[in-house]
């Protein structure tokens, strides 16, 4: 159920104020240390950011898709690291349980995820299985009333701080969707170990690492929904929703970059006047604004269709492709407008230029979105 207009506006205003007053001032510290201050994490919990998409009966805010993307846009105005910490609880770390978990699994885990007591993590990607998720090798073999998990997951968001992993594993050898199941594995389970945190191009403070399963023994009750063979289909449904969220985040980040570029152009003088008066600078600002507006319209339209119960696989991929490519172009123009200053870390555009590059890779690369869009479009035309 959607929030009433007044409640939604109050929430958005609270998030925007939190971004402006607490998160933006902490961006440089997070970039330098690679850690989000504990006080800010606690404030994120109190604001309800970990439970945006989890139903109120489990302690969340229960936002619909349109409301969630509006919050994601607001969070996009600051470093992606802050959103990333809560993002798995909002999306890929919780939605498999929301969509396919048993009542017992929902009652046990969702309140902890909604409150931020534990961080969820979605373990799908492997060294030999990224875009080709069907090729994953992590195995789960039945052993009485337990399963034995073996394999390695790679680039797993929030794994270093996660309390719960949604693990995609093969329960039969065939290359088909119903050969893959999902298991809810708690941190600290014997046989589960973590690699060293990855050193990345950008997004300092957004942690990723390998997750290794070596004869990791979990009870049969860890099987999502108590049913084998539903993991792959659930993962694809989770990613459809996540792609809209990342698209909205890209829009918010583009809006931040445009604001920074306009501010700099108004202050920086060359040839005796602000560079904002030069038409070639104005052209870069105009192109950025038009593209950000187009992406926002796409995201809002797709979110509303999803809230009406329509299948939005096509629209989600269109949004993910366009919005993430768009923010890359906007970031590039923002650096160009800043000139040499845009290449040094004193200005946020240097950091954002590196940060947004990841948006085109995770939750399905641009090339995977092209394949999905082509497939769904041809299907819609009878092919």
């Amino acid at each position: 159920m959607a929030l009433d207009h007044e409640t939604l506006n109050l929430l958005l205003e609270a998030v925007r104020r939190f971004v402006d007053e607490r998160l933006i001032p902490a961006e440089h510290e997070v970039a330098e240390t690679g850690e989000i201050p504990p006080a800010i994490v606690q404030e994120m919990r109190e604001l309800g950011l970990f439970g945006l998409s989890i139903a109120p009966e489990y302690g969340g805010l229960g936002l619909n898709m349109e409301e969630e993307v509006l919050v994601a846009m607001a969070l996009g105005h600051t470093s992606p690291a802050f959103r990333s910490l809560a993002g798995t609880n909002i999306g890929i770390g919780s939605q498999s349980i929301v969509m396919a978990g048993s009542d017992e699994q929902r009652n046990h885990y969702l309140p902890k995820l909604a409150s931020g007591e534990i961080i969820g993590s979605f373990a799908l990607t492997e060294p030999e299985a990224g875009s080709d998720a069907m090729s994953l090798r992590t195995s789960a073999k039945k052993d009485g009333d337990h399963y034995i998990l073996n394999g390695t997951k790679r680039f797993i968001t929030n794994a270093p701080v996660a309390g719960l992993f949604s693990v995609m594993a093969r329960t039969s050898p065939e290359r088909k969707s119903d050969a893959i199941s999902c298991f809810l594995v708690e941190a600290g389970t014997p046989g589960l170990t973590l690699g060293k945190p990855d050193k990345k191009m950008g997004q300092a403070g957004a942690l990723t690492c390998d997750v290794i399963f070596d004869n990791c023994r979990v009870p049969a009750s860890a099987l999502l929904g108590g049913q084998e063979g539903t993991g792959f289909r659930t993962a694809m449904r989770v990613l459809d929703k996540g792609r809209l969220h990342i698209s909205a985040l890209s829009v918010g980040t583009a809006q931040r970059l445009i604001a920074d570029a306009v501010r700099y152009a108004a202050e920086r003088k060359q040839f005796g006047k602000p560079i904002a008066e030069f038409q070639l600078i104005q052209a870069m600002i105009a192109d950025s604004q038009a593209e950000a507006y187009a992406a926002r319209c796409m995201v809002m339209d797709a979110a509303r269709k999803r809230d009406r119960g329509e299948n939005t696989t096509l629209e989600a991929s269109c949004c993910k492709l366009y919005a993430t490519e768009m923010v890359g172009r906007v970031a590039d123009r923002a650096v160009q407008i800043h000139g040499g200053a845009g290449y040094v870390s004193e200005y946020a555009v240097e950091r954002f230029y590196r940060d947004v590059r990841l948006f085109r890779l995770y939750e399905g690369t641009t090339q995977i979105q092209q394949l999905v869009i082509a497939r769904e479009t041809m299907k819609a035309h009878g092919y």
Side-chain angles (χ1 to χ4, degrees):
M1 182 181 295
L3 299 179
D4 62 76
H5 186 70
E6 182 179 357
T7 302
L8 177 60
N9 282 341
L10 287 172
L11 172 63
L12 292 173
E13 179 56 34
V15 173
R16 291 173 186 136
R17 187 167 56 250
F18 182 57
V19 166
D20 290 341
E21 297 176 1
R22 295 291 288 135
L23 301 188
I24 291 177
E27 287 177 352
H28 184 72
E29 177 186 351
V30 172
E32 290 294 310
T33 65
E35 297 180 0
I36 300 173
I40 287 181
V41 177
Q42 182 56 34
E43 290 176 58
M44 292 172 66
R45 293 188 183 109
E46 293 169 0
L47 195 54
L49 294 182
F50 287 90
L52 295 180
S53 60
I54 296 173
E57 64 189 282
Y58 302 110
L61 297 182
L63 303 189
N64 65 21
M65 197 71 238
E66 180 179 354
E67 294 161 349
E68 181 183 327
V69 298
L70 288 170
V71 173
M73 288 178 194
L75 291 172
H77 284 247
T78 187
S79 168
F82 299 112
R83 196 280 333 171
S84 182
L85 181 65
T88 48
N89 283 32
I90 298 167
I92 55 178
S94 70
Q95 290 305 296
S96 57
I97 303 172
V98 170
M99 294 176 181
S102 65
D103 288 342
E104 182 179 355
Q105 289 166 341
R106 291 186 180 119
N107 289 329
H108 183 70
Y109 290 118
L110 291 181
K112 296 178 181 180
L113 291 165
S115 68
E117 176 186 342
I118 62 172
I119 302 296
S121 192
F122 184 73
L124 173 62
T125 300
E126 297 183 1
E128 301 299 326
S131 295
D132 183 12
M134 192 74 75
S135 293
L136 67 83
R137 297 180 180 178
T138 297
S139 64
K141 295 185 178 180
K142 192 77 180 293
D143 182 30
D145 57 357
H146 285 73
Y147 286 86
I148 310 298
L149 273 60
N150 281 285
T152 298
K153 300 295 183 177
R154 180 147 293 172
F155 310 136
I156 305 304
T157 301
N158 284 336
V161 294
L164 179 69
F165 298 87
S166 298
V167 183
M168 299 299 157
R170 187 171 294 282
T171 43
S172 66
E174 296 87 355
R175 184 183 167 87
K176 56 183 182 179
S177 62
D178 58 6
I180 297 171
S181 303
C182 180
F183 295 85
L184 304 177
V185 184
E186 296 184 10
T189 301
L192 187 162
T193 57
L194 304 177
K196 294 180 179 179
D198 299 314
K199 293 182 179 181
K200 308 186 299 299
M201 177 190 296
Q203 298 212 14
L207 304 177
T208 65
C209 73
D210 285 2
V211 182
I212 302 103
F213 300 92
D214 183 8
N215 290 322
C216 180
R217 187 177 178 85
V218 299
S221 59
L223 179 63
L224 183 70
Q227 185 177 355
E228 289 188 6
T230 62
F232 187 83
R233 288 189 294 272
T234 299
M236 295 305 104
R237 291 173 62 201
V238 167
L239 289 174
D240 267 359
K241 187 175 189 296
R243 286 166 182 167
L244 288 178
H245 184 101
I246 295 300
S247 300
L249 181 68
S250 298
V251 171
T253 304
Q255 292 168 338
R256 162 69 185 276
L257 285 161
I258 292 167
D260 282 3
V262 169
R263 185 182 306 110
Y264 184 84
E267 295 172 353
R268 172 68 167 165
K269 292 184 178 180
Q270 290 288 281
F271 305 101
K273 57 184 177 181
I275 64 172
E277 295 184 20
F278 299 139
Q279 288 184 335
L280 293 179
I281 298 294
Q282 292 176 1
M284 287 190 281
I285 292 171
D287 287 347
S288 296
Q289 180 63 28
E291 291 187 40
Y293 177 61
R296 187 183 191 280
C297 291
M298 291 175 68
V299 172
M300 295 302 294
D301 177 68
R304 288 164 181 157
K305 285 183 176 180
R306 184 181 176 89
D307 286 336
R308 292 197 297 267
E310 298 179 30
N311 184 323
T312 54
T313 296
L314 172 61
E315 289 82 356
S317 283
C318 286
C319 289
K320 175 65 166 56
L321 182 151
Y322 184 80
T324 59
E325 293 283 344
M326 173 276 297
V327 76
R329 293 189 293 270
V330 171
D332 187 78
R333 295 187 196 112
V335 170
Q336 194 72 12
I337 289 169
H338 279 70
Y343 202 70
V344 298
S345 59
E346 178 182 350
Y347 290 89
V349 294
E350 181 273 338
R351 183 183 69 248
F352 275 109
Y353 181 82
R354 291 180 288 107
D355 288 347
V356 302
R357 187 61 183 84
L358 184 58
F359 294 170
R360 292 152 61 187
L361 299 175
Y362 61 12
E363 306 225 14
T365 65
T366 291
Q367 287 66 41
I368 288 297
Q369 307 315 316
Q370 289 173 317
L371 293 176
V372 173
I373 292 165
R375 182 195 69 207
E376 294 297 315
T377 300
M378 291 190 290
K379 187 190 302 182
H381 287 79
Y383 291 97

